[in-house]
Amino acid sequence: MNEPSDSRGTTHFGFREVPTGEKQKLVGEVFSSVAGKYDLMNDLMSLGIHRAWKRYFVGTAQVAPGDRVLDLAGGTGDIAALLRDRVGDAGEVVLGDINGAMLRVGRDRMIDRGSVRGLSYVQCNAESLPFPDASFDLVTIAFGLRNVTDKDAALREMHRVLKVGGQARVLEFSEVQAQWFKPLYDFHSFKVLPKLGQLFAQDASSYQYLAESIRKHPPQDQLKAMMDTAGFVRTSYKNLNGGIVAIHTGYKV
């Protein structure tokens, strides 16, 4: 379900109910904790398949050389690096993230890759973006929307900063479709993942939260409806690996 969850001003942080104003701080603590282990986190959560998902996500996006692209919740720069190759020297990729630790890791990794031209970094809240209307040809957010407190506000902001004809894309863990697979997926998420987090990152609780946050994220049809409400048209989604993740797409007219 989307949040805030009730009139008392509470929302969910994983399976816990917390005051709405505290979620951003709590999520920030999680990602500050895992910033240096972000690739490991994704490997543990997706069994390493996240790299293929990200390549497909960018490879099927509506983007051309010379475009200006915003990648929200850009983390350690995986999506931005792929987008940078698509927009070429004439284009620009803005990597935005609310978490300073994640942004620093992403910047350092992009420098190590030698990918610095046409890239800029902005610490920003997806619910209130510091960009003018109609600034970008493409807006992406990968594995970040489920951590946003007010998802509706973030979707409205993505729509606002898009140019007419521009595309928005959301890559996110979603609702597994096959009933037979759900118990196995739950076992991995709630029994195996926190133990691996403790073993490899000395942080079981953050990984427990991340597993819980997936279950609280709006499923495919609900997120599509939220994009419709935010003003997007021709909205659609594509399940990958049986709905473990889904790519949602919308356009601005």
Side-chain angles (χ1 to χ4, degrees):
M1 297 294 292
N2 195 27
E3 62 266 283
S5 63
D6 62 32
S7 60
R8 296 172 297 170
T10 65
T11 187
H12 57 74
F13 174 72
F15 291 162
R16 290 165 47 199
E17 286 291 315
V18 299
T20 300
E22 289 186 13
K23 179 171 179 176
Q24 182 177 313
K25 174 178 176 290
L26 292 168
V27 171
E29 290 171 353
V30 168
F31 282 90
S32 293
S33 173
V34 304
K37 301 281 187 179
Y38 188 69
D39 283 339
L40 173 63
M41 177 193 76
N42 283 329
D43 284 334
L44 295 177
M45 293 183 72
S46 72
L47 304 179
I49 307 172
H50 70 98
R51 293 180 176 85
W53 292 336
K54 290 171 180 175
R55 287 194 297 271
Y56 183 82
F57 178 63
V58 173
T60 56
Q62 176 183 287
V63 61
D67 280 355
R68 188 167 188 244
V69 179
L70 172 63
D71 179 39
L72 290 170
T76 51
D78 287 348
I79 299 296
L82 294 168
L83 288 166
R84 175 70 185 78
D85 292 339
R86 294 286 308 274
V87 302
D89 291 339
E92 181 186 8
V93 177
V94 178
L95 192 162
D97 202 299
I98 195 171
N99 187 281
M102 293 291 290
L103 208 57
R104 286 189 293 274
V105 171
R107 180 195 59 201
D108 291 346
R109 287 186 60 195
M110 298 299 277
I111 291 172
D112 290 343
R113 289 170 172 166
S115 302
V116 292
R117 291 187 60 190
L119 273 169
S120 56
Y121 305 87
V122 178
Q123 187 167 359
C124 61
N125 187 338
E127 299 172 19
S128 181
L129 296 174
F131 306 108
D133 296 354
S135 298
F136 298 96
D137 300 285
L138 170 70
V139 180
T140 62
I141 183 167
F143 303 119
L145 185 61
R146 74 180 188 278
N147 299 304
V148 175
T149 302
D150 190 340
K151 297 175 179 62
D152 292 308
L155 291 171
R156 289 194 300 269
E157 281 292 271
M158 291 170 67
H159 184 271
R160 180 184 66 80
V161 301
L162 264 183
K163 297 177 182 177
V164 172
Q167 183 188 63
R169 302 205 99 198
V170 179
L171 172 63
E172 190 54 88
F173 288 103
S174 200
E175 185 174 73
V176 172
Q177 300 300 292
Q179 291 298 321
W180 67 265
F181 184 63
K182 289 183 179 180
L184 298 175
Y185 187 54
D186 285 344
F187 180 79
H188 171 74
S189 298
F190 297 114
K191 300 299 184 183
V192 177
L193 181 60
K195 288 183 171 59
L196 292 175
Q198 181 62 40
L199 179 63
F200 291 105
Q202 292 74 55
D203 187 353
S205 61
S206 291
Y207 288 77
Q208 179 76 24
Y209 158 73
L210 292 165
E212 292 175 0
S213 70
I214 294 170
R215 301 314 192 277
K216 299 296 287 186
H217 184 65
Q220 289 89 328
D221 287 326
Q222 184 181 348
L223 181 54
K224 179 182 181 298
M226 291 166 63
M227 293 183 72
D228 291 336
T229 300
F232 293 104
V233 301
R234 292 162 47 208
T235 57
S236 63
Y237 64 83
K238 179 178 179 63
N239 288 322
L240 303 181
N241 291 96
I244 295 176
V245 300
I247 297 172
H248 282 72
T249 301
Y251 297 84
K252 181 175 180 176
V253 296

